[in-house]
Amino acid sequence: MGMDTIWLTGAEWLAVLRIGLGLWWLESWRHKDRKAWFERGTGIAWAAGVAAKHRSSAVRSGFDRVVAPHPRAMAYVVVYAELALGLGLITGFLTPIALAGASLLNALYFTLMIHDVAEQGQNSMMALMSVVGLFGMSWQTWSLDSSLGLF
């Protein structure tokens, strides 16, 4: 049984969702003050402040164990992960990997920012888009993956 849609096919609508999510990640990367993140460590310092006040001891200790010892490296990981996710999802390159990575990063952001309603909404919706894109195989249309015969 097929899927009824308006204007585009179901696969094309899933590609629109994937590309939109990629644009969201690209905007997240674009609006970051990279000089502040890399030279002054503002992003990781801000996250450290959030983690230090977190109700969950697992979040506090996890942050202290994994992120805090490597603030400069983690700043690069966060900033360039967002860029890679954005570009991968927009172009549809290594899409299942990008979608899984996006889900993981949104879960980490959601967990850290559990007490911020705006962050909860943004990260839960981005994670939902990633899951729909993954299980809907959103790389079937308008993607480098489909052009290259990947996945």
Side-chain angles (χ1 to χ4, degrees), residues 65-137:
R65 202 171 315 119
V66 177
V67 180
H70 315 285
R72 188 170 172 85
M74 289 311 230
Y76 279 92
V77 167
V78 167
V79 170
Y80 288 110
E82 290 182 358
L83 176 61
L85 292 171
L87 294 176
L89 293 171
I90 290 166
T91 63
F93 184 62
L94 302 178
T95 310
I97 296 164
L99 289 165
S103 294
L104 176 62
L105 195 54
N106 282 127
L108 290 169
Y109 288 177
F110 183 88
T111 302
L112 178 63
M113 299 302 298
I114 196 77
H115 311 302
D116 183 319
V117 175
E119 286 286 333
Q120 284 178 337
Q122 172 175 304
N123 287 295
S124 61
M125 290 302 99
M126 290 175 82
L128 175 62
M129 291 169 74
S130 295
V131 170
V132 170
L134 184 62
F135 290 111
M137 297 171 60

Side-chain angles (χ1 to χ4, degrees), residues 6-78:
I6 297 171
W7 192 31
L8 301 174
T9 68
E12 289 168 342
W13 279 119
L14 286 167
V16 168
L17 184 74
R18 182 198 81 228
I19 293 165
L21 179 60
L23 290 168
W24 199 341
W25 278 113
L26 194 62
E27 175 56 20
S28 184
W29 170 82
R30 190 196 65 77
H31 81 256
K32 278 190 174 41
D33 181 345
R34 287 178 288 287
K35 186 173 183 167
W37 269 69
F38 298 150
E39 293 176 16
R40 296 192 308 276
T42 57
I44 300 301
W46 169 79
V50 172
K53 297 180 199 122
H54 207 280
R55 281 185 238 156
S56 168
S57 62
V59 171
R60 290 192 307 270
S61 63
F63 191 94
D64 289 345
R65 202 171 315 119
V66 177
V67 180
H70 315 285
R72 188 170 172 85
M74 289 311 230
Y76 279 92
V77 167
V78 167

